[in-house]
Amino acid sequence: MKNSAADITGLWENMTKGNSDAMLALYEYYYNDLLSYGIRLCGSLHTAKDAINDVFLHLAEQHKNLKPVKNVKAYLFACIRRKVFCLPYAIDKMVPIDEASAYDDAETSYEEMLVAIQQSDDIRTKIQLALAKLTERQKELIQLKYFQNLNYRQIETVTGISVKTAYNTIYNALRVLETELRGLLFSISLLFSSFL
Amino acid sequence: MDKNEPKRIDELLTDDSFLQYCRGDEAEKLHWEKQMALDPALKEAAEKAKQLYELLCSELTDPAVESLTFRQLLQDKGYMNTAAPVPSIPAQRRRWIWAAASIFLLSILSGVWLYTGKKNTDPITQMQPGKPAPLQNDAAPGKNTATLILADGRSVLLDSTGNGEIANQGPTQIVKLQEGQILYKTDGSKTTDILYNTMQTPRGGQYKLILPDGTKVWLNAASSIRYPTAFTGNERRVSITGEVYFEVAKVSDPAKQGKFQPFVVEKDEMRIEVLGTYFNVNTYEDESDMKVTLLEGSVIVTSAGSEAPGVKLRPGQQASVNNTDALSITNDIDLEVVMAWKNGLFDFNRADIKAIMRQIGRWYDLEIIYEGNIPTREFSGKITRNTNLSNVLRILEQSNINFSIEGKTIMVKP
């Protein structure tokens, strides 16, 4: 799925006119990017998910007052950052946010958001590449274990793969991921801890 | 420190206790924080393991599913007009829907039934546009209509009239969306009573329903589903009759520390246990076998009357349970044929006339009577379901099968 800049601008414009489908298209399009960024800021999947919903709910509420923005992704990243760190910001004040005020604090500038986006894209690409190194079976079990939150017994029930085999398959998959992502984990932990 | 405590990232991430900690379990959090305070090496590995866990989860998160939940949030807040949701479809599934849509268009434009040209298959020849219908009586196609039976026995007829809230059950609101679709909305408060509702379609009706957990359900004609208005237990359990297509939502309930709730479909002795997945179940009483067809994901089908243990289906496989409760699997099922009804088509692949007439009878609400020796030929082809009966029969008539309709009865003659 690749949307051109013009498509995104069009979706943004339609969203400001109250078109919820346009908003949901933007939501879906940027979801994984925003989630990955949010997790690196706060270290928690739940908090990051909540932040995304809060930001979009605010945009929905204020859709009539939204102005065109030159870089939708950078703007959304800045909103997520403000939400996660509870920075004094339009989201809490119920006033429209414009692009300038989104980046308007001592720590963030538009340029810094662009850097954050670049890092985020790099990390996601690396994770996708690492996941691509896994076998189908490994991917399926990783999905069940980490996304569906099944324990080994449940995995056995669902897939017919024995507890022992499932454990070994996941263990081997993680060794692959860890090897692939070792450098990445190191650099992320720096970014992450610098915000704590 | 405990010598048995794992330290490597991969060891941590295969440890259920550590994963519980990652998911926010308070008891595990205390345990792991204590361990980490004692062991800096463990702390470092645990922090990285947790990040790897979070990053994997974020990459595995399906935006389409999240946006469905968010749409609900938007609707509850009423910030934008979200009256007519068009749930988006994950990319993997788009292929066959597009294939079905293009064939659908083709058959409308050309007015022909395509035929596969296989041996022993009677090609259904081109329909003559403008040829007058030879039938004196006709029947309109089925509609989006169903009856919702509430826990207290009240029943609500759902048809093409008016959208909006149709009933209240405790903290749950039942809202009718666009034509042929309803949605359950809860205010988030805990329900103590489990209320069961039943949605049933008549012959000549179909309906779409979104269950309280976000699972999407399509009912074909003369079908039903019974389900609780809130899925609170260890399992999400529903029972069905007729033909139903499911798109089961992956539910990991934060109130239960993200534990996954299996989704279970029951029909008589047959039980289907499900993860987030897409599958069709055909259990019409007048068909010889009950059939479960998997499009995506995985399901386990068991038959209580069968000696054999349950079978796990792969996408593209079909499990059949026959009238002696025996369970068998068929590979490489033509999914377009199985899913045709949901895509608004009749699609037959080497079907005999009786199989075709059973579908026609259900959709046009007609009883079928056979006279004389009906040829045992097989037919293949597709046509839209959204057309009058006469247009469907006209094509069959060109293969020398005749029909006459009286009231709600259709007579089939050689």
Side-chain angles (χ1 to χ4, degrees):
Chain A
M1 183 170 75
K2 268 274 171 268
N3 282 16
S4 73
D7 293 339
I8 295 296
T9 310
L11 286 173
W12 182 271
E13 230 176 81
N14 283 330
M15 178 178 85
T16 62
K17 288 175 190 153
N19 180 334
S20 60
D21 285 335
M23 161 165 275
L24 288 158
L26 285 174
Y27 181 95
E28 268 187 50
Y29 185 66
Y30 288 122
Y31 194 85
N32 286 113
D33 283 328
L34 295 173
L35 191 60
S36 167
Y37 180 60
I39 285 171
R40 285 190 305 126
L41 294 180
C42 65
S44 153
L45 184 72
H46 272 301
T47 311
K49 280 184 168 185
D50 287 348
I52 295 174
N53 283 350
D54 286 348
V55 165
F56 274 91
L57 274 181
H58 179 71
L59 294 176
E61 191 187 17
Q62 294 293 334
H63 68 268
K64 288 193 186 105
N65 303 320
L66 293 174
K67 300 195 170 64
V69 295
K70 59 178 169 176
N71 186 333
V72 173
K73 192 172 177 182
Y75 177 78
L76 291 173
F77 266 56
C79 291
I80 291 291
R81 188 178 176 284
R82 285 176 168 273
K83 186 71 213 169
V84 166
F85 295 128
C86 295
L87 294 175
Y89 159 55
I91 277 191
D92 304 314
K93 288 191 206 146
M94 310 297 239
V95 295
I97 28 175
D98 57 37
E99 198 165 16
S101 74
Y103 309 115
D104 182 26
D105 71 276
E107 288 173 57
T108 344
S109 67
Y110 175 65
E111 286 66 32
E112 277 165 322
M113 284 330 294
L114 295 185
V115 173
I117 286 175
Q118 189 56 48
Q119 282 178 338
S120 201
D121 288 349
D122 288 349
I123 288 168
R124 285 202 58 211
T125 310
K126 281 185 183 133
I127 294 167
Q128 282 162 356
L129 287 175
L131 281 169
K133 291 239 157 90
L134 302 181
T135 65
E136 283 307 312
R137 162 73 66 90
Q138 284 175 327
K139 257 185 266 181
E140 182 191 357
L141 292 187
I142 289 274
Q143 173 87 18
L144 294 174
K145 184 87 194 128
Y146 298 123
F147 192 74
Q148 310 276 20
N149 297 339
L150 299 195
N151 61 33
Y152 295 104
R153 187 64 61 191
Q154 290 167 318
I155 289 178
E156 180 173 352
T157 312
V158 172
T159 61
I161 297 169
S162 76
V163 170
K164 192 169 183 317
T165 310
Y167 179 90
N168 288 336
T169 308
I170 290 173
Y171 185 88
N172 288 332
L174 287 166
R175 296 198 73 141
V176 172
L177 291 176
E178 194 199 344
T179 312
E180 291 297 319
L181 296 172
R182 185 166 291 146
L184 180 63
L185 287 172
F186 181 67
S187 62
I188 294 171
S189 66
L190 286 181
L191 172 81
F192 175 45
S193 55
S194 70
F195 282 112
L196 285 180
Chain B
M1 76 159 260
D2 184 352
K3 285 245 163 52
N4 297 322
E5 212 57 78
K7 263 192 276 180
R8 288 182 54 93
I9 291 175
D10 35 23
E11 281 167 349
L12 287 167
L13 283 177
T14 36
D15 184 332
D16 278 333
S17 147
F18 182 76
L19 291 175
Q20 285 297 101
Y21 155 66
C22 288
R23 286 166 203 144
D25 184 289
E26 287 300 323
E28 297 294 350
K29 190 174 174 215
L30 280 174
H31 166 77
W32 284 96
E33 280 176 353
K34 209 172 122 196
Q35 297 298 327
M36 282 190 263
L38 293 171
D39 181 352
L42 174 70
K43 184 167 188 283
E44 197 190 327
E47 276 169 3
K48 285 183 181 166
K50 189 160 187 291
Q51 280 163 34
L52 183 54
Y53 168 79
E54 303 278 11
L55 287 169
L56 285 175
C57 285
S58 94
E59 203 52 49
L60 295 171
T61 300
D62 185 351
V65 173
E66 300 300 323
S67 99
L68 211 67
T69 318
F70 181 70
R71 177 187 286 281
Q72 186 66 59
L73 255 172
L74 264 188
Q75 259 167 4
D76 292 348
K77 297 274 184 189
Y79 289 152
M80 277 182 170
N81 174 26
T82 44
V86 190
S88 61
I89 303 153
Q92 311 91 283
R93 273 187 302 141
R94 287 196 183 118
R95 239 173 303 131
W96 61 263
I97 291 180
W98 278 113
S102 57
I103 289 160
F104 174 75
L105 254 179
L106 195 66
S107 56
I108 297 253
L109 289 176
S110 61
V112 295
W113 259 16
L114 309 170
Y115 83 97
T116 56
K118 282 179 189 142
K119 249 200 257 171
N120 302 328
T121 300
D122 200 357
I124 297 162
T125 46
Q126 184 157 358
M127 178 177 130
Q128 304 297 317
K131 183 181 169 186
L135 298 161
Q136 295 195 318
N137 293 310
D138 203 348
K143 291 184 302 239
N144 289 329
T145 178
T147 305
L148 177 65
I149 301 160
L150 302 176
D152 59 8
R154 275 183 295 161
S155 68
V156 184
L157 178 67
L158 303 164
D159 54 18
S160 50
T161 57
N163 291 339
E165 191 180 326
I166 50 170
N168 258 313
Q169 279 186 146
T172 308
Q173 273 179 303
I174 305 167
V175 182
K176 185 158 172 286
L177 304 173
Q178 76 211 73
E179 199 176 317
Q181 203 181 98
I182 73 158
L183 182 80
Y184 281 82
K185 253 164 73 165
T186 45
D187 61 10
S189 67
K190 287 268 177 287
T191 38
T192 44
D193 305 331
I194 296 176
L195 304 173
Y196 282 88
N197 286 7
T198 301
M199 168 84 81
Q200 62 187 35
T201 50
R203 292 168 72 88
Q206 63 180 5
Y207 218 78
K208 181 181 172 186
L209 160 74
I210 299 176
L211 296 180
D213 64 341
T215 292
K216 290 182 250 174
V217 176
W218 283 256
L219 296 180
N220 201 351
S223 303
S224 76
I225 179 167
R226 180 173 184 270
Y227 51 93
T229 56
F231 291 104
T232 50
N234 294 326
E235 304 186 319
R236 298 173 280 166
R237 190 189 300 246
V238 302
S239 57
I240 63 159
T241 66
E243 182 162 33
V244 185
Y245 171 70
F246 288 93
E247 292 188 358
V248 174
K250 297 163 183 170
V251 169
S252 50
D253 189 348
K256 299 190 179 83
Q257 261 100 46
K259 285 234 176 62
F260 179 77
Q261 267 181 308
F263 191 96
V264 176
V265 180
E266 289 177 328
K267 161 70 182 172
D268 301 337
E269 298 289 276
M270 180 174 72
R271 176 185 157 97
I272 309 163
E273 190 172 331
V274 177
L275 283 175
T277 191
Y278 310 120
F279 64 102
N280 188 68
V281 192
N282 183 331
T283 66
Y284 285 120
E285 303 294 341
D286 57 359
E287 302 287 344
S288 57
D289 298 349
M290 294 198 277
K291 292 188 174 116
V292 182
T293 314
L294 184 66
L295 282 79
E296 209 181 298
S298 67
V299 300
I300 296 170
V301 183
T302 49
S303 169
S306 163
E307 295 290 312
V311 291
K312 186 192 170 212
L313 291 188
R314 293 257 160 216
Q317 285 186 327
Q318 184 176 72
S320 306
V321 177
N322 69 13
N323 48 19
T324 62
D325 290 331
L327 192 59
S328 62
I329 288 194
T330 316
N331 290 315
D332 297 327
I333 288 296
D334 188 337
L335 295 177
E336 276 180 28
V337 170
V338 175
M339 293 320 303
W341 69 270
K342 180 181 160 278
N343 299 318
L345 293 172
F346 290 115
D347 186 340
F348 303 112
N349 184 10
R350 307 187 59 184
D352 66 26
I353 186 72
K354 289 190 173 172
I356 292 176
M357 291 314 294
R358 283 197 296 274
Q359 287 199 34
I360 288 176
R362 286 194 286 263
W363 186 239
Y364 293 95
D365 188 13
L366 295 167
E367 202 176 324
I368 320 285
I369 294 174
Y370 296 91
E371 279 189 357
N373 279 331
I374 304 299
T376 52
R377 276 177 312 209
E378 291 173 328
F379 298 86
S380 296
K382 300 177 208 262
I383 191 171
T384 172
R385 298 214 302 180
N386 189 23
T387 186
N388 277 358
L389 174 65
S390 56
N391 290 329
V392 180
L393 296 185
R394 205 180 304 167
I395 300 162
L396 291 171
E397 282 180 326
Q398 296 188 0
S399 301
N400 291 325
I401 294 173
N402 293 297
F403 303 93
S404 63
I405 302 172
E406 271 174 46
K408 286 274 181 192
T409 308
I410 181 166
M411 220 100 79
V412 185
K413 293 175 271 198

